[in-house]
Amino acid sequence: MKQIFITILVIFITILFFAYTNIDIMLQNYFYNFQTHTWILDRNLQPYKSIFYDGIKKLLIFMAILFLIAYFIPRFKKYKKEILVVILSAVFVPLIVGFLKKETNMPCPKNRIEYGGIYPKTKVWQHYPKNFKAPKIKCWPAGHASGGFALMSLYFLFRRKKYKLIALASGITIGWTMGLYKMMIGDHFLSHTIITMELAWLIILIINYFIKK
């Protein structure tokens, strides 16, 4: 329970930090060419799209199916709780992050004024200016990377600390690989991906807490 409260505190600190600094813009500027008005990677450029978007999503779905099958195999009975944590994390992390994206109404970098869009900077708890009229947008937190960060739940699958840390590092690496790709095509800021990682860990901790208790 202590870890859950610490993670919630870290999330709030992260939100405030990025809301009152220009770190997002400073980093995102490296991914944008202001002369050609293009991002460092074209979203349709291959093989990057196939590997870091379509391919990795299919791989995550395949892994989730494997864990679902393993859950019903008697040989893995003693790991049922741990496997269930992984399965539920694979479902609820993207689901909750996707729900938040629909409700927060935050723009992607490509939609911001700084990069040729129409949306002004706004904090997640603020409304747009009254004279600003634009369709509701869905870009915070980072939905694509949430599937990768859900794999941090593999941490609870192992008993030995060495393997737990390897599993955790693997989930973080896959999540950031997906997140960096989306940053390089103008779909997300750094803060979007960090918040997604922290939210994913919070959701995983809550799932593990209730499954184990």
Side-chain angles (χ1 to χ4, degrees), residues 75-86 153-168 208 211-212:
R75 181 181 177 183
F76 301 118
K77 186 177 180 180
K78 63 179 180 178
Y79 299 107
K80 287 192 78 170
K81 286 185 177 181
E82 290 79 4
I83 292 173
L84 187 58
V85 170
V86 176
S153 59
L154 293 172
Y155 174 87
F156 295 104
L157 190 62
F158 299 94
R159 308 290 168 82
R160 292 179 60 182
K161 186 175 181 180
K162 174 184 175 181
Y163 297 119
K164 289 169 81 71
L165 293 176
I166 291 173
L168 181 63
N208 181 69
I211 293 296
K212 297 294 174 67

Side-chain angles (χ1 to χ4, degrees), residues 14-67:
T14 302
I15 290 172
L16 291 173
F17 174 78
F18 282 100
Y20 291 103
T21 66
N22 289 319
I23 301 296
D24 272 340
I25 292 293
M26 290 169 60
L27 178 61
Q28 206 66 33
N29 285 347
Y30 287 103
F31 300 138
Y32 188 72
N33 188 319
F34 288 92
Q35 279 71 48
T36 61
H37 304 290
T38 57
W39 294 96
I40 193 170
L41 275 185
D42 186 305
R43 65 182 56 253
N44 295 311
L45 189 64
Q46 299 293 2
Y48 305 104
K49 184 177 183 293
S50 295
I51 296 172
F52 298 113
Y53 190 78
D54 300 320
I56 205 162
K57 283 176 71 175
K58 291 175 182 177
L59 177 62
L60 292 175
I61 292 171
F62 177 69
M63 290 179 65
I65 292 171
L66 287 181
F67 276 102

Side-chain angles (χ1 to χ4, degrees), residues 102-169:
K102 292 178 181 178
E103 298 301 318
T104 52
N105 195 22
M106 293 284 285
C108 308
K110 64 184 180 183
N111 305 119
R112 287 274 295 270
I113 291 173
E114 294 92 331
Y115 306 109
I118 62 171
Y119 288 80
K121 180 179 180 179
T122 183
K123 299 175 179 63
V124 70
W125 61 85
Q126 291 179 329
H127 294 291
Y128 291 106
K130 290 183 178 180
N131 61 345
F132 178 76
K133 303 295 181 183
K136 193 172 184 179
I137 199 162
K138 300 178 287 186
C139 219
W140 186 97
H144 182 58
S146 65
F149 287 128
L151 290 178
M152 292 190 294
S153 59
L154 293 172
Y155 174 87
F156 295 104
L157 190 62
F158 299 94
R159 308 290 168 82
R160 292 179 60 182
K161 186 175 181 180
K162 174 184 175 181
Y163 297 119
K164 289 169 81 71
L165 293 176
I166 291 173
L168 181 63

